């Protein structure tokens, strides 16, 4: 069964450092998403991406965050200057489309980010 | 904010059916109901979705009331591996994003 792959599975960084989280979506999917989950809290939407541009973003997705699809397979989330409160599990997801409600988001296993 | 209301927790005996309710009284006519689950801190896993008809797949059944204001996810023979947080989500029309609520923590007991 096709899956979304995320790397690294766990990253520890110092406050203020830049972090890049990587995702390989399912190959024929066109829509890409990042979510995060702070320990013990709910899964929160960050951003959606389609046709090489952001289609929607949440209030959480401020100027310290950016997303990119640098090549035909990877989808990255960059956090420019990490803060303690960025510590969370970050999930990448992809879907084939959005129309008709018939398109399912498939999530990766997540990247755990710990900011010290 | 999530457009759904779910009980925070439920228990179910192993081998019995687990019935997880969800209220979505403000759902619009073109919005689908999706169910996902999350085991420990793993990525959310898709279970099933529907618009107005009842749906069944290899994992579960989804029963949607005629007025579409509520639905029930049924796991016909719950196992210990079904212990997870179950999320009922109304997918925003014509956008891809899913808005997660707090979900229902289902504990399957031996």
């Amino acid at each position: 069964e096709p899956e979304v792959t995320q790397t690294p599975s766990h990253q520890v960084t110092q406050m203020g450092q830049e972090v890049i989280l990587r995702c390989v979506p399912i190959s024929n999917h066109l829509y890409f998403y990042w979510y995060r989950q702070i320990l013990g809290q709910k899964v929160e939407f960050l951003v959606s991406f389609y046709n090489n541009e952001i289609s929607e973003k949440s209030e959480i997705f401020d100027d310290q965050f950016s997303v990119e699809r640098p090549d035909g397979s990877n989808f990255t989330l960059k956090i420019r200057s990490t803060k303690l409160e960025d510590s969370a599990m970050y999930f990448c997801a992809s879907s084939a489309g959005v129309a008709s409600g018939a398109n399912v988001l498939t999530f990766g296993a997540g990247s755990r980010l710990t900011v010290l | 904010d999530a457009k759904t209301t779910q009980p925070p927790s439920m228990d179910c005996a192993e081998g019995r059916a687990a019935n997880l309710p969800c209220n979505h009284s403000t759902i619009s006519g073109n919005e689908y109901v999706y169910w996902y689950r999350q085991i420990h801190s793993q990525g959310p896993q898709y279970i099933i979705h529907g618009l107005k008809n009842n749906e069944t797949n290899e994992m579960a059944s989804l029963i949607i009331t005629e007025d579409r204001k509520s639905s029930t996810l049924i796991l016909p023979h719950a196992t210990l591996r079904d212990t997870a947080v179950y999320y009922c989500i109304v997918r925003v029309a014509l956008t891809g994003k899913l808005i997660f609520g707090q979900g229902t923590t289902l504990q399957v007991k031996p």
Side-chain angles (χ1 to χ4, degrees):
Chain A
E1 187 172 330
E3 60 181 27
V4 174
T5 304
Q6 291 187 240
T7 55
S9 57
H10 189 192
Q11 181 156 357
V12 181
T13 190
Q14 295 291 323
M15 191 169 54
Q17 295 297 303
E18 176 181 284
V19 163
I20 297 176
L21 305 178
R22 291 180 169 79
C23 169
V24 178
I26 293 173
S27 63
N28 64 343
H29 282 186
L30 302 176
Y31 294 79
F32 314 112
Y33 311 85
W34 283 101
Y35 286 76
R36 80 171 185 189
Q37 186 174 32
I38 296 170
L39 187 63
Q41 299 186 23
K42 63 183 181 180
V43 178
E44 300 174 291
F45 169 77
L46 291 179
V47 66
S48 57
F49 189 87
Y50 168 71
N51 198 26
N52 280 322
E53 61 182 27
I54 290 173
S55 49
E56 191 170 359
K57 61 183 180 179
S58 72
E59 293 177 351
I60 303 169
F61 195 88
D62 60 22
D63 291 344
Q64 70 162 339
F65 292 94
S66 62
V67 289
E68 190 179 31
R69 190 157 161 82
D71 53 41
S73 61
N74 289 286
F75 179 52
T76 63
L77 174 68
K78 181 190 292 185
I79 310 174
R80 287 190 183 81
S81 178
T82 51
K83 307 171 190 171
L84 296 175
E85 54 265 37
D86 294 327
S87 294
M89 183 74 89
Y90 289 82
F91 295 108
C92 174
S94 68
S95 70
V98 297
S100 305
N103 290 287
V104 171
L105 267 68
T106 300
F107 286 80
S111 293
R112 180 170 297 284
L113 176 64
T114 301
V115 182
L116 302 177
Chain B
D1 287 342
K3 298 178 66 173
T4 62
T5 304
Q6 300 177 253
S9 64
M10 292 182 65
D11 290 343
C12 177
E14 188 179 19
R16 304 297 294 270
N19 296 280
L20 292 91
C22 179
N23 287 321
H24 32 80
S25 57
T26 61
I27 193 170
S28 300
N30 60 348
E31 292 179 326
Y32 282 68
V33 178
Y34 282 70
W35 283 83
Y36 279 74
R37 72 180 183 185
Q38 188 177 26
I39 298 172
H40 294 300
S41 295
Q42 298 176 22
Q45 177 190 22
Y46 168 78
I47 301 172
I48 199 167
H49 74 277
L51 181 62
K52 53 184 178 181
N53 297 321
N54 297 337
E55 302 289 341
T56 296
N57 63 19
E58 65 278 5
M59 290 183 68
S61 295
L62 175 60
I63 308 298
I64 302 174
T65 58
E66 192 168 339
D67 63 8
R68 303 212 322 124
K69 292 184 177 181
S70 66
S71 60
T72 301
L73 178 74
I74 302 172
L75 307 178
H77 305 286
T79 71
L80 298 178
R81 289 176 295 179
D82 291 322
T83 292
V85 180
Y86 287 77
Y87 299 99
C88 171
I89 302 167
V90 171
R91 185 165 179 177
V92 180
L94 296 181
T95 75
K97 72 179 183 182
L98 300 173
I99 302 299
F100 287 80
Q102 298 294 344
T104 295
T105 299
L106 176 68
Q107 182 73 47
V108 180
K109 298 184 175 181

